[in-house]
Amino acid sequence: MQSDNLTSASERGSSGPRVRRPLPSWVSTTALLMPTYGWLTLAVFLPLLTMLVFSFMAATPMGKAPIVLTLKQYRAFIDQPYLLGIAFTSLLIGFWTTFACAVFGFLAAVALARSTFGKTREMLLILILLPFWTNGLVRIFSWTMVLRENGFLDTIFHMVLPDAGSIGFLYTRYAVVVGLVHGYLPYMILTCYIALVTIDDAIIEAAASLGARWWTILFKILVPMAAPGLISGAVLTFIPVIGSFMEPRILGGRVGVTMGTVIEDQFTQAFNWPLGASLSFTLLAVVLAIFGTFSGVLRRGTAA
Amino acid sequence: MTSLGRFYLIAVLVFLYTPILVMMAMGFNASPLYELPFSFSTRWYEALWNNNILLTAGMNSIIIAVITAAVATALGTMASVALSRSTFRGKSFLQIMLLPPIAIPWLITGTAMLIFFYWTGIGRGMHAIIIGHVALAIPYVVLVVGTGFRTIRADLEEAAMSLGSTPVHAFFSVTLPLLYPSILGAALFAFAVSLDQFVISYFLATPGFTTLPVQIYSSIRKGFTPEINAISTVLLLGSMTVILIFARFAKPGETRDKR
């Protein structure tokens, strides 16, 4: 529509005597797009291709050592069975984080859409989203002070029960999940909220006037109608969570070994880049499979 | 129902802000081991003032964020103009190609950049981090400016051209001023993305050149002191301010009303 206006305008313009004939539009379009896509090619697409090549190498190419191609990096899960357990842990952490975000986030979005109005709603939405745009590392670090023994949580707990033991659970997988939920909850609330505000109040009022209880309204009306928001929120939580490494490192301590920390180790400690690359690519395959499965829902989510 | 909902939202806010507030408070606690009872002190802020490693890293972060914001906004705005104002074959493919930098976990993108930059001799350090940050920020700029474009009526530019203005002149004198709030918002957004970016910087940093989040991460792993709380507080308040200013500028509805 816009481009139609534009072409008709330029045609009219070029017929006028004072106007120079403009360059064909593809020239300007290409010139405008080149820098961005050139940059993305250099910084993202070529690196991903190079990583694919590296994942077939026998060892990190150092100096003049000949490059040997092999498939052994992709057999890591067979050769090193402990990786299977780590992969399972990562998926489990991803699942629980996503599940907790979905339950708490959806309810928060319902509360936001149904019991707040005007300025209050605007302010609450900004307050909820603000932490999402601050440094994730710093927020994860701040949880260590709450969850550690004799930390903030313990102090509050001991005010009520002075003689009880510690309830601090830093350096457990629960701590990792709490930290990750903290990181992605605002995002889930936002996607669910966007889906929920489009639901017509009249539908809910009709259900209520016909005697539907709140849980009937929740599970029979709100959840199905807001499903696209819920699913895109879940996908966009699960994907970064299974690729996380600093959250399990800082909050999980010794039990915080995930695919993310294994990959980080291959690049920063073990210097086994080919193995790191093949594990990264396995992770990327999982990510792409998830995107492929939910692409229809995600596209509808972004179009809205 | 309404009061229950509000109570629940307050509980969510308590969950979101408790750790942040505890961390900020601990930066003013005298004990180096985060021990309670709380006794007010500014010693960690004073120590921070003399901590050249953290201050240098902080300066690096700001320089990189400014450069990233400038470059990403320029490139992203150009691309957004092309994507919003013309139709051509493969346009939707190009739009999809903006997603990988946002959607693929940074761990994967970061390690891939490390391999590629090492292999091609680009190397690591400041320039490599800037290349990475700009790539991450461009998609956000295109999205934000593209949203701004949708609030501008195309017929204003058309009117200018039918009155004898060249397309380029019409763009700079009509469209760009209308787009200005979105572009400024996009620049702030890119600045915040770069300032908070840890993963990519982590893989591309060198022992001699780090950014603030990378330096904080290594301090946490080495055993931390409340100086980290002090600098973290400064960093959090800084990015919260930038985002609040962004929210002020990038409200599409508001810009239309003001005109």
Side-chain angles (χ1 to χ4, degrees):
Chain A
M1 189 64 203
Q2 285 180 340
S3 68
D4 288 349
N5 290 340
L6 209 64
T7 27
S8 61
S10 54
E11 274 161 15
R12 240 176 291 147
S14 60
S15 62
R18 282 171 55 233
V19 181
R20 262 189 310 149
R21 192 176 174 78
L23 289 165
S25 69
W26 67 266
V27 174
S28 58
T29 303
T30 312
L32 288 169
L33 290 173
M34 273 293 273
T36 283
Y37 287 92
W39 197 292
L40 289 181
T41 305
L42 174 76
V44 179
F45 303 127
L46 284 178
L48 287 174
L49 270 179
T50 314
M51 189 156 80
L52 185 63
V53 176
F54 259 69
S55 71
F56 291 107
M57 288 183 182
T60 310
M62 288 292 288
K64 293 216 182 314
I67 291 169
V68 183
L69 296 182
T70 168
L71 274 172
K72 81 164 186 193
Q73 308 298 357
Y74 282 95
R75 278 198 10 232
F77 282 100
I78 300 163
D79 297 338
Q80 289 149 290
Y82 73 93
L83 281 174
L84 283 177
I86 292 169
F88 185 69
T89 309
S90 305
L91 290 176
L92 217 54
I93 288 177
F95 171 77
W96 283 114
T97 305
T98 309
F99 182 75
C101 279
V103 172
F104 296 123
F106 190 81
L107 291 177
V110 170
L112 203 58
R114 306 221 49 86
S115 49
T116 66
F117 305 95
K119 280 261 179 248
T120 322
R121 175 186 286 184
E122 213 171 273
M123 204 187 71
L124 280 170
L125 201 58
I126 289 176
L127 276 177
I128 287 172
L129 291 179
L130 199 52
F132 186 71
W133 285 111
T134 59
N135 195 285
L137 171 70
V138 167
R139 283 184 291 134
I140 291 299
F141 169 57
S142 68
W143 274 106
T144 62
M145 275 160 263
V146 176
L147 299 179
R148 68 213 295 261
E149 265 183 57
N150 299 318
F152 181 75
L153 197 63
D154 264 4
T155 310
I156 297 286
F157 184 60
H158 288 153
M159 278 177 191
V160 187
L161 291 171
D163 301 323
S166 169
I167 54 163
F169 56 93
L170 186 59
Y171 306 133
T172 63
R173 281 177 201 156
Y174 301 106
V176 179
V177 171
V178 167
L180 286 166
V181 169
H182 187 248
Y184 295 100
L185 187 61
Y187 195 80
M188 182 71 89
I189 295 176
L190 181 67
T191 54
C192 291
Y193 171 78
I194 290 170
L196 280 166
V197 284
T198 59
I199 297 175
D200 193 346
D201 282 348
I203 299 172
I204 294 150
E205 279 157 24
S209 71
L210 291 170
R213 301 297 179 93
W214 66 267
W215 61 82
T216 315
I217 294 176
L218 183 67
F219 288 109
K220 290 257 162 88
I221 299 173
L222 295 180
V223 172
M225 287 187 80
L230 199 57
I231 292 170
S232 47
V235 168
L236 296 174
T237 301
F238 188 76
I239 285 172
V241 165
I242 55 170
S244 63
F245 70 92
M246 57 92 169
E247 293 90 345
R249 271 269 196 257
I250 296 172
L251 295 176
R254 276 190 297 124
V255 302
V257 182
T258 62
M259 288 310 286
T261 63
V262 172
I263 293 172
E264 185 212 351
D265 275 341
Q266 298 310 316
F267 281 96
T268 58
Q269 310 290 326
F271 207 65
N272 190 350
W273 289 6
L275 179 59
S278 75
L279 293 176
S280 274
F281 251 91
T282 312
L283 198 59
L284 185 60
V286 174
V287 168
L288 292 179
I290 295 170
F291 272 130
T293 311
F294 294 102
S295 65
V297 179
L298 289 172
R299 206 171 302 146
R300 242 183 302 153
T302 49
Chain B
M1 181 73 185
T2 303
S3 59
L4 186 72
R6 292 205 175 179
F7 179 77
Y8 180 71
L9 285 175
I10 290 168
V12 168
L13 286 178
V14 168
F15 171 72
L16 288 178
Y17 283 89
T18 297
I20 295 175
L21 294 176
V22 168
M23 187 201 68
M24 289 179 175
M26 285 299 177
F28 289 105
N29 186 11
S31 160
L33 297 167
Y34 302 110
E35 276 165 351
L36 297 166
F38 184 83
S39 62
F40 183 83
S41 155
T42 54
R43 62 182 281 204
W44 304 116
Y45 283 86
E46 284 155 30
L48 176 65
W49 191 242
N50 296 313
N51 188 328
N52 279 325
I53 299 174
L54 279 179
L55 289 184
T56 309
M59 209 56 215
N60 290 344
S61 281
I62 292 173
I63 294 170
I64 290 174
V66 169
I67 298 175
T68 300
V71 177
T73 307
L75 302 191
T77 303
M78 284 161 65
S80 193
V81 168
L83 290 172
S84 305
R85 277 291 155 87
S86 34
T87 41
F88 51 90
R89 225 182 225 275
K91 184 171 134 181
S92 55
F93 173 75
L94 284 184
Q95 280 169 324
I96 289 171
M97 292 318 273
L98 288 170
L99 296 178
I102 311 180
I104 296 176
W106 294 329
L107 172 70
I108 299 176
T109 326
T111 51
M113 284 179 191
L114 172 61
I115 289 178
F116 179 71
F117 293 169
Y118 165 82
W119 207 16
T120 52
I122 294 172
R124 297 182 295 164
M126 186 175 185
H127 59 290
I129 295 176
I130 291 172
I131 294 174
H133 282 200
V134 170
L136 283 198
I138 281 177
Y140 293 108
V141 173
V142 176
L143 284 176
V144 171
V145 176
T147 311
F149 248 109
R150 256 176 269 156
T151 67
I152 296 175
R153 288 160 49 196
D155 50 2
L156 290 174
E157 196 172 290
E158 195 193 338
M161 286 191 284
S162 69
L163 291 170
S165 175
T166 63
V168 173
H169 182 256
F171 177 78
F172 279 100
S173 59
V174 177
T175 309
L176 205 58
L178 291 174
L179 211 53
Y180 176 68
S182 305
I183 294 174
L184 203 59
L188 285 170
F189 208 92
F191 182 83
V193 166
S194 168
L195 196 65
D196 287 337
Q197 175 44 242
F198 159 66
V199 180
I200 303 263
S201 314
Y202 174 64
F203 287 108
L204 299 179
T206 60
F209 186 92
T210 60
T211 65
L212 190 52
V214 177
Q215 197 60 48
I216 292 175
Y217 182 67
S218 57
S219 306
I220 293 171
R221 294 189 70 184
K222 267 184 232 147
F224 31 89
T225 68
E227 274 172 84
I228 301 299
N229 293 42
I231 191 87
S232 296
T233 304
V234 174
L235 184 61
L236 277 187
L237 293 179
S239 44
M240 281 184 179
T241 311
V242 172
I243 286 300
L244 285 177
I245 298 172
F246 165 77
R248 178 85 190 73
F249 272 109
K251 264 187 200 145
E254 205 170 88
T255 55
R256 203 173 351 173
D257 292 342
K258 268 193 193 151
R259 204 182 63 212

